[in-house]
Amino acid sequence: MRLLLTGGAGFIGRHVLARALARGHDVRVLDSLREDVHHGLAWAPPPGVELVVADVRDRPAVLPALSGVEAVIHLAAKVGLGVDVQDLPDYASSNDAGTASLLAAMATTGVGRLVLASSMVVYGEGLGHCAEHGPVAPGVREESALRRGQFDPPCPECGRTLGAQLVDEDAPIDPRNAYASSKFAQELYARNWARSTGGSVAALRYHNVYGPGMPSDTPYAGVAAIFTSALRRGQAPRVFEDGGQRRDFVHVRDIASATVAAAEAGVAGTRAYNVGSGTPRTVGEMATALAVALAGAAPVVTGEYRLGDVRHITADSSRARAELGWYPAEDFDAGMAELAHSR
């Protein structure tokens, strides 16, 4: 299959490119090599892979890049959390307008298959489970409760402490920052394009991605980079709250295999897929795995907290398994060891 891979020079993009080539696909990469992502570091594609250096908003460059293409894997985006309102224009321009421009070019050239890199951040706080009310959106974690060490959110109906609940693709959407809002906007633009053109969209909501080549200044890195840096300095990693925050840490090679599987499947219409390991882990478990891998000091649980942090967000990825025939293959401890020793 002839694929156009946007953002193919990035962290996830390089792994998707390797997976697509291993599967025998013909890949053309389009990447702007933007300075705030690549920091001036040179990148050259593997032999036989064409690189188009351009922004997805550059229609004169994108139209010929789509020539002969059967499917587009769209990873190009401004990442980060966008916690400042001044970040909104750049996220809207890079991610929303960028995706809209790409979709318009696809409509012009007749390319009808899209795999879109979305994110678990579209769910916000996700879901919790109340013994009385079942699955509910978690209530606000008040600072007074956090100071007392009550870290799990309350049920908004009765105030009882909520248990963790896997989030499936039908969970309420609640983006909490500029990046999250832009990722869901990308999904909406893609849905509109599919309805208008008869095209197909697989929107992959990646969970907490880690692996070799992970940069230290993106939301993918998060606490993994902080913990690893501390351990390399001979210090114990400091774990906030009680260390029981649950996440779904998924290896970038598993992300890559899911992404290529979605391109090969060619789903009908528009379909969202969670992409996670299927095995929730706590932040404390991740810190311990990194400490073991680096033969460093055991993690210290501090009880500190940050207002606005999500307590639990973990994926139900059964739809991807059932419909795409995809299964994660990477071992967590081995993956953390690989991450710990990568540069």
Side-chain angles (χ1 to χ4, degrees):
M1 184 187 301
R2 180 70 163 167
L3 301 172
L4 177 65
L5 172 61
T6 76
F11 163 49
I12 295 176
R14 293 193 299 272
H15 289 275
V16 171
L17 175 59
R19 176 68 177 183
L21 294 175
R23 294 282 296 172
H25 298 297
D26 185 7
V27 186
R28 178 183 293 143
V29 170
L30 186 145
D31 198 299
S32 67
L33 303 179
R34 56 186 292 169
E35 176 62 28
D36 61 341
V37 175
H38 296 277
H39 307 293
L41 297 176
W43 181 82
V49 174
E50 178 187 358
L51 171 62
V52 178
V53 180
D55 192 290
V56 289
R57 292 166 290 186
D58 182 359
R59 187 177 178 87
V62 171
L63 284 171
L66 288 166
S67 176
V69 165
E70 297 168 75
V72 174
I73 298 175
H74 182 34
L75 306 182
K78 177 180 172 62
V79 298
L81 296 179
V83 295
D84 192 304
V85 70
Q86 299 304 319
D87 295 325
L88 288 170
D90 195 8
Y91 281 95
S93 177
S94 298
N95 298 355
D96 304 349
T99 299
S101 296
L102 174 65
L103 293 169
M106 290 173 65
T108 298
T109 55
V111 180
R113 185 181 297 184
L114 174 69
V115 177
L116 173 67
S118 187
S119 172
M120 48 75 73
V121 296
V122 302
Y123 298 119
E125 290 279 355
L127 290 174
H129 187 271
C130 175
E132 180 178 351
H133 297 100
V136 294
V140 175
R141 297 200 298 168
E142 300 289 351
E143 187 167 12
S144 58
L146 296 174
R147 284 198 300 266
R148 294 192 301 271
Q150 297 176 358
F151 299 118
D152 285 306
C155 173
E157 301 293 331
C158 65
R160 295 182 182 180
T161 298
L162 293 177
Q165 172 90 23
L166 291 180
V167 177
D168 66 20
E169 294 85 353
D170 297 321
I173 299 299
D174 185 20
R176 299 290 183 93
N177 54 55
Y179 175 63
S181 297
S182 72
K183 297 311 288 184
F184 189 54
Q186 287 181 306
E187 290 192 27
L188 294 177
Y189 279 115
R191 187 183 304 172
N192 294 339
W193 165 84
R195 286 173 176 163
S196 297
T197 64
S200 70
V201 180
L204 304 186
R205 294 171 180 167
Y206 299 154
H207 279 246
N208 295 81
V209 188
Y210 74 93
M214 182 175 72
S216 61
D217 57 350
T218 78
Y220 301 122
V223 292
I226 296 171
F227 292 162
T228 301
S229 295
L231 288 161
R232 287 174 178 160
R233 294 192 303 268
Q235 300 172 351
R238 296 173 59 83
V239 180
F240 278 18
E241 301 187 13
D242 60 359
Q245 311 94 302
R246 286 161 53 103
R247 298 292 186 269
D248 191 322
F249 300 106
V250 56
H251 197 285
V252 67
R253 286 194 292 269
D254 285 330
I255 289 286
S257 65
T259 302
V260 175
E264 293 171 344
V267 302
T270 302
R271 196 75 162 147
Y273 295 95
N274 287 334
V275 184
S277 71
T279 304
R281 309 273 182 174
T282 68
V283 172
E285 287 174 322
M286 180 184 67
T288 297
L290 290 170
V292 169
L294 289 169
V300 174
V301 177
T302 68
E304 296 173 85
Y305 58 85
R306 290 179 300 190
L307 289 176
D309 276 1
V310 172
R311 175 63 173 173
H312 304 299
I313 181 72
T314 52
D316 178 351
S317 299
S318 57
R319 178 183 290 179
R321 291 160 171 72
E323 297 183 11
L324 302 180
W326 166 81
Y327 295 88
E330 300 293 332
D331 176 76
F332 176 77
D333 290 320
M336 283 292 157
E338 180 186 26
L339 174 63
H341 292 287
S342 65
R343 294 287 183 174

